[in-house]
Amino acid sequence: MSASPARSRVSPEIIVVCGCLIALITFGPRASSGLFQLPMITEYGWGRDTFGFAIAIQNLLWGVGQPFAGAVADRFGALRVLCVGAILYALGLVVMAYATTPSVLHIGAGVLIGFGLSGCSFNLVLGAFGKILPEKWRPMAFGAGTAAGSFGQFLFPPIGNVLIESFGWQHTLLVFAGSVLIVMPLALALATRPTGDTAQSGPAAAPNQSIAQALSEAFKHRSYVLLVLGFFTCGFQLAFITVHLPAYLKDAGLSAAVGGWTLAVIGLANAAGSLGSGWLSTRMSKRWLLAWIYLGRSVAIAAFILIPATPVTSILFGISIGLLWLSTVPPTSSLVMLMFGTRYMAMLYGFAFFSHQVGGFLGVWLGGLLYEINGNYSMVWWLSVLLGLASALINLPIKEQPVDRAPALQPAE
């Protein structure tokens, strides 16, 4: 039995377009953070571990805040959460622009942007898509929302490079802050009319299930736990590359433009990879798709670090890793919806994303810390390879079926 979908004020097409624009805008500045590392540490005399720790805090608090933001969005709708998130995100970019001490940098780039992202990133958009859109729209909408975030990664780094060269890194951060505020009017399209119904697909609906009961059910479900553990690697690899790749290429004697364009190419290839992953998620085993993605990443990273860095090899790496970049998101979000339905999807996907961001915290922080200790990034690159192989294996035992939720045993309020 399925409940009727949450009712939206606008058409599915407008919902998808506005959601994709939100994903694009919020992902762009975050994906460009590596561009600001060398200008900031050069001006203030910090080490790379200082900047890396700020972005590590950002990743961790993004993950910590995501389940709570998802729970609020599940209960009250995405509009309020997206608006508060956008304000915090913009404020964090402003504080980062005027940070002259590590502690202020950690508050702006770490705490404020981290919590801001938990409220307005593509994760909230995907949760809203799952609730508002008709079921036939959802798999491709998940891919489109993820791809839009990827296109933000393609669009913002080259713009950021031009703005930094023309106006300085501080003014560039202020421009990025202004762009994030555009999320607020776009979020109106993701509002829903008040209704007691929630779109439900997957297991039999549990209309009286509480948040605590939903969490207990999820974390006792072996396949969900494996999915959450595997997602850790995704965050570790992506955050490390996003923040430290431009500096790694600069250390290899390449220009800052190569680093910016490599991040941009990752974003462009990511858009294609995410759309392809959304399409494949409806046509093949999702656990096998995830396993192949993680294995492919390990191969791409190993090849990149074994070959001397040049502009050509950097761009080729950007294309290969970009195709696999956020392609984990459509099958992961689809599996969460398949296992538990859509009622608490934003919250349960939020806990999976928390694992992702713990990985991101360690990837960014260890990248900076081990660079200061060893003078290179080799250890973290190889750790990324090993984690990719481990996640490929972790996803294989996942059972792609709804949780067994007998109607007679549904909890009461």
Side-chain angles (χ1 to χ4, degrees):
M1 182 177 66
S2 296
S4 60
R7 293 173 292 171
S8 174
R9 298 181 174 89
V10 295
S11 67
E13 292 86 354
I14 298 299
I15 291 170
V16 172
V17 169
C18 289
C20 287
L21 287 173
I22 292 171
L24 184 154
I25 291 168
T26 57
F27 203 83
R30 184 257 172 187
S32 306
S33 58
L35 302 179
F36 298 95
Q37 177 170 212
L38 293 181
M40 291 189 75
I41 66 175
T42 299
E43 181 159 340
Y44 297 120
W46 301 332
R48 296 186 190 185
D49 54 337
T50 299
F51 186 89
F53 188 63
I55 307 303
I57 293 172
Q58 176 191 118
N59 278 276
L60 184 63
L61 295 186
W62 183 4
V64 168
Q66 193 71 64
F68 297 99
V72 174
D74 285 334
R75 178 66 180 86
F76 299 105
L79 175 61
R80 301 175 191 179
V81 182
L82 286 166
C83 289
V84 172
I87 292 170
L88 290 175
Y89 192 170
L91 181 60
L93 288 166
V94 172
V95 172
M96 184 178 174
Y98 293 104
T100 57
T101 66
S103 60
V104 177
L105 174 68
H106 294 157
I107 291 171
V111 177
L112 291 173
I113 295 180
F115 282 131
L117 282 166
S118 71
C120 68
S121 69
F122 70 93
N123 300 300
L124 265 292
V125 171
L126 299 185
F129 283 173
K131 284 181 170 294
I132 300 172
L133 291 173
E135 188 167 354
K136 66 180 181 180
W137 281 74
R138 293 171 189 166
M140 285 305 297
F142 291 158
T146 309
S150 309
F151 191 71
Q153 183 174 355
F154 167 74
L155 193 63
F156 274 72
I159 293 174
N161 261 334
V162 172
L163 290 175
I164 289 171
E165 292 176 2
S166 302
F167 305 105
W169 61 268
Q170 289 178 310
H171 288 94
T172 302
L173 286 169
L174 297 179
V175 171
F176 282 179
S179 70
V180 168
L181 295 177
I182 301 173
V183 166
M184 298 174 72
L186 291 172
L188 293 171
L190 302 185
T192 55
R193 294 190 180 99
T195 174
D197 295 332
T198 303
Q200 180 70 32
S201 65
N208 297 320
Q209 189 181 44
S210 69
I211 289 176
Q213 289 165 336
L215 289 175
S216 176
E217 177 184 67
F219 282 100
K220 290 177 181 177
H221 192 55
R222 181 170 178 265
S223 291
Y224 177 75
V225 173
L226 291 173
L227 187 68
V228 169
L229 291 175
F231 216 24
F232 171 93
T233 293
C234 184
F236 186 98
Q237 294 169 330
L238 269 56
F240 167 67
I241 292 171
T242 297
V243 174
H244 293 288
L245 180 63
Y248 172 81
L249 295 176
K250 195 72 180 292
D251 291 343
L254 303 180
S255 68
V258 174
W261 278 108
T262 301
L263 291 178
V265 168
I266 289 174
L268 187 61
N270 189 11
S274 298
L275 285 173
S277 178
W279 182 80
L280 288 172
S281 293
T282 65
R283 289 165 172 80
M284 68 174 287
S285 165
K286 298 172 184 60
R287 64 190 176 95
W288 276 102
L289 178 58
L290 285 169
W292 282 114
I293 290 169
Y294 286 120
L295 177 61
R297 284 189 189 176
S298 291
V299 172
I301 292 171
F304 177 60
I305 58 179
L306 289 172
I307 300 172
T310 67
V312 173
T313 60
S314 299
I315 297 300
L316 289 176
F317 174 70
I319 294 171
S320 60
I321 202 70
L323 289 171
L324 306 168
W325 192 256
L326 284 178
S327 55
T328 56
V329 172
T332 300
S333 54
S334 295
L335 280 170
V336 173
M337 186 172 65
L338 173 65
M339 293 175 190
F340 305 107
T342 58
R343 183 177 187 187
Y344 290 113
M345 179 187 167
M347 179 183 68
L348 295 178
Y349 179 76
F351 274 98
F353 190 73
F354 172 68
S355 173
H356 183 283
Q357 293 307 100
V358 171
F361 170 86
L362 290 174
V364 175
W365 177 57
L366 287 177
L369 179 65
L370 293 177
Y371 178 87
E372 294 298 325
I373 293 173
N374 300 321
N376 60 64
Y377 292 112
S378 295
M379 187 176 295
V380 188
W381 280 120
W382 284 111
L383 184 56
S384 295
V385 172
L386 293 175
L387 285 172
L389 297 175
S391 284
L393 295 174
I394 284 174
N395 279 276
L396 291 179
I398 289 175
K399 294 182 179 179
E400 300 183 41
Q401 61 190 36
V403 64
D404 185 11
R405 186 184 288 160
L409 299 178
Q410 288 178 7
E413 290 280 7

